Amino acid sequence: MSWQRDDFSDGFVVPPMPTAPPPAPADGWRAAGVALLNLSGLGLGYALVRRWWLTAACWVATALLLLVALPADPDGVPGGALVAYLAVLALAAVHGAVVGLRTRLMWPPAAWIAVVLGIVLLAVPAGGVALYGGARDEATEQMLLDRLERADKLVRTAGRQQFQNAESDYRRALTVYSGLRSDHPGSRAAERVPDRLRTYYTTVASAYEDKNYCTAVAPLKYLRTIPRTMDEKELGTLATWPDGRLATSLYECGTQSLSGGSADWATHYGELLRTFPKSEQSAKVNSSVEAAVDKAVKDVRGDDPCKAVERLESLNSQIVGLPGEDAGQGQALTENADRAEKNAESGTYDCGVDQYKDGSFAEAVTTMNDFVKNAGTHKNVARAKKIVIAAEVAQTVPAAGKRLPTTASGGSISVTVKNDSPDDITVLYTGPVTGSFTLKACGKCTSYSLASTITLGFEPCSDSGKNYPQRTIRLPVGTTYFVHKAKSGLGNSPASDTAKLSSGYIYTECAYTTKYGY
């Protein structure tokens, strides 16, 4: 220490006052106390050594962390903010230890008390972490509950739409339910999923509850696929919940289609027999099919036999395709298919008769020819052949179709038919009796122009120099309609004649063909 002389003194100079307390002796307990108090995040260590600006800096750092962290978020505090704050605390602890090593404390009187106080106050950040963890867990729970509610809303909205339009929403909701159970098994939201799944199933299958069985098929089939994507243990009894309902829907929808005449019935019955072959619904399939065949057989004798025949033919082809073996109904279904086929064949005759009576002569020809071809020795084959002839005549002479022909033949009146045509001629006739025969071509004859047949004095088969092929038949008294058709002549149209036959006469009928032109 240096001394200076002061002219206004008596020879001695007073030393100047120090600007800060002299450094205290080094004290490790004091350094540890300041460091521990700074770790609380409140800067209390700095406060005890009178470093107010540094204390305020610690408060600011903690306040910034709280602003970032609160309110608690499921994702927690951003990593960067947390690392920065921990770095500030570590720096404050180290720096506080350095400062506190040689700086006396403002309070408490003993350094060891500061150490104890610092250890106690470490509960503040520890408690804060615990409280924040709890708040974060609650935020996570709320987030999961919100996610659950959004999925529930999807289901409610989808339930007001057609399934094909809502299926994607149903799948999204199911993904949420499944994720909650697998990813957050202990959460409150996950605990509510089983109840939500029951609501989900009943919503998807609401058409079944409304007895709209055909509409219910698609959503119930979808519900049966859920065990492929979600653990059956999670589903419990819901895993098999759709089975009985789907079997019922397939049966009821198939039955509705069958009774309504739709062809979809076989698709539904087929799927029922393949998917649930041992179900009580499958056991009823053959009875429904049998009833449908019975009705169609009865309808053959009704007002529209042709429609009934088409129905029987359709039933036959569809019944044959049903997989009834696994369901124990193969033999019964085969018998019904055979019955439908046989009645369709015999019903073809009734259809042809109906067409003939309705004046649909061309259709009647086709139908009766099919019947004759397939009927074998059926009792109506002979009359069907007669109806074919009469229908062909009626296509040219509609009056010939006013009465259904019988199987009668012969008569008391002789009628000779000659062929005045260059082609083989088929002669068809109908009236009290019906029949047909063929006459060979006339070698020297030609087809007549249509114009020449309507001129005065037209007389075919009148050339004595020609040898006309001919045949004599016997017919009853009454009106007989004739049609002559060339078997191979191109461009020729049938000629016709109406003969009113009386007893005591011999008749000659001339067959010829006409063509357009002069």
Side-chain angles (χ1 to χ4, degrees):
M1 178 180 293
S2 62
W3 294 87
Q4 294 179 353
R5 183 178 179 83
D6 191 340
D7 293 341
F8 299 96
S9 67
D10 55 0
F12 295 95
V13 178
V14 178
M17 294 296 293
T19 58
D27 187 339
W29 284 100
R30 190 170 57 232
V34 172
L36 288 172
L37 287 169
N38 278 353
L39 284 177
S40 68
L42 300 176
L44 294 179
Y46 284 135
L48 293 182
V49 294
R50 297 173 295 277
R51 299 295 194 270
W52 306 114
W53 286 107
L54 292 176
T55 301
C58 290
W59 291 351
V60 169
T62 300
L64 290 175
L65 179 66
L66 292 176
L67 286 174
V68 172
L70 298 177
D73 186 87
D75 295 330
V77 181
L82 185 60
V83 169
Y85 182 71
L86 292 176
V88 168
L89 288 184
L91 183 61
V94 172
H95 184 256
V98 172
V99 172
L101 182 64
R102 294 186 178 277
T103 303
R104 288 185 175 86
L105 300 178
M106 195 172 60
W107 182 91
W112 66 268
I113 297 177
V115 172
V116 172
L117 185 60
I119 293 174
V120 171
L121 288 179
L122 285 178
V124 173
V129 170
L131 290 174
Y132 183 79
R136 180 183 176 187
D137 289 343
E138 180 60 26
T140 301
E141 289 284 359
Q142 290 300 321
M143 177 194 70
L144 297 177
L145 289 172
D146 289 345
R147 187 181 301 174
L148 179 66
E149 175 57 30
R150 288 195 296 272
D152 294 342
K153 185 176 180 181
L154 275 177
V155 173
R156 290 193 296 270
T157 302
R160 296 190 289 269
Q161 304 176 42
Q162 294 294 326
F163 175 74
Q164 58 268 28
N165 298 328
E167 183 176 358
S168 60
D169 286 343
Y170 283 132
R171 292 186 182 277
R172 288 168 56 196
L174 183 65
T175 300
V176 172
Y177 294 149
S178 178
L180 289 173
R181 292 292 289 182
S182 60
D183 300 337
H184 309 278
S187 65
R188 298 200 299 271
E191 292 174 356
R192 299 179 187 182
V193 166
D195 288 338
R196 297 305 198 276
L197 283 175
R198 283 188 284 273
T199 301
Y200 179 87
Y201 269 65
T202 55
T203 301
V204 173
S206 59
Y208 176 83
E209 301 300 330
D210 295 337
K211 300 187 184 304
N212 295 326
Y213 296 112
C214 292
T215 304
V217 169
L220 287 169
K221 288 170 67 175
Y222 160 72
L223 289 176
R224 293 189 76 237
T225 67
I226 291 179
R228 302 175 194 169
T229 58
M230 194 170 184
D231 191 346
E232 288 193 24
K233 293 181 180 179
E234 295 289 347
L235 294 172
T237 57
L238 290 176
T240 56
W241 186 87
D243 292 356
R245 291 166 174 80
L246 178 58
T248 298
S249 295
L250 288 170
Y251 174 76
E252 294 294 342
C253 183
T255 302
Q256 291 173 13
S257 299
L258 184 61
S259 61
S262 171
D264 292 339
W265 70 268
T267 300
H268 298 303
Y269 276 0
E271 187 169 359
L272 170 62
L273 293 171
R274 283 189 296 271
T275 309
F276 308 103
K278 303 303 181 182
S279 66
E280 61 180 80
Q281 294 88 347
S282 291
K284 297 188 290 185
V285 166
N286 183 65
S287 297
S288 298
V289 170
E290 184 175 12
V293 173
D294 289 343
K295 182 179 184 303
V297 170
K298 182 180 179 180
D299 289 345
V300 169
R301 305 292 184 267
D303 295 333
D304 195 347
C306 293
K307 183 177 180 180
V309 168
E310 290 179 3
R311 177 68 168 155
L312 286 168
E313 291 173 343
S314 174
L315 286 171
N316 167 253
S317 63
Q318 291 174 308
I319 295 171
V320 168
L322 290 177
E325 292 77 9
D326 292 341
Q329 300 190 64
Q331 181 62 34
L333 288 171
T334 298
E335 290 174 358
N336 275 312
D338 291 342
R339 193 160 62 92
E341 181 180 23
K342 291 177 181 178
N343 280 277
E345 291 175 354
S346 61
T348 303
Y349 172 81
D350 298 275
C351 173
V353 170
D354 188 67
Q355 290 170 331
Y356 185 93
K357 290 180 176 178
D358 288 344
S360 301
F361 301 117
E363 289 84 352
V365 169
T366 301
T367 301
M368 285 304 189
N369 279 332
D370 288 341
F371 171 74
V372 171
K373 179 181 177 181
N374 299 316
T377 58
H378 194 280
K379 64 179 182 179
N380 287 325
V381 168
R383 193 176 188 191
K385 292 178 179 179
K386 298 289 187 178
I387 293 174
V388 169
I389 294 171
E392 290 199 43
V393 173
Q395 289 182 69
T396 302
V397 187
K402 291 182 178 180
R403 186 172 61 179
L404 196 67
T406 67
T407 56
S409 61
S412 59
I413 299 175
S414 175
V415 178
T416 299
V417 182
K418 298 180 179 181
N419 184 12
D420 186 1
S421 167
D423 305 299
D424 290 350
I425 290 291
T426 297
V427 178
L428 305 103
Y429 57 92
T430 187
V433 298
T434 300
S436 67
F437 56 88
T438 300
L439 292 175
K440 293 293 184 180
C442 174
K444 297 182 179 180
C445 299
T446 60
S447 295
Y448 292 93
S449 66
L450 184 60
S452 65
T453 62
I454 58 176
T455 58
L456 187 62
F458 172 69
E459 293 185 14
C461 298
S462 60
D463 189 342
S464 59
K466 295 179 180 178
N467 183 21
Y468 298 107
Q470 59 184 325
R471 179 173 175 175
T472 299
I473 57 175
R474 302 194 71 82
L475 299 176
V477 173
T479 301
T480 297
Y481 303 92
F482 289 89
V483 167
H484 322 129
K485 297 174 63 175
K487 294 186 66 176
S488 60
L490 298 177
N492 296 332
S493 60
S496 61
D497 186 29
T498 300
K500 295 181 179 181
L501 307 180
S502 302
S503 299
Y505 294 90
I506 296 176
Y507 294 87
T508 299
E509 176 74 17
C510 183
Y512 61 91
T513 56
T514 61
K515 61 183 178 180
Y516 290 102
Y518 294 90

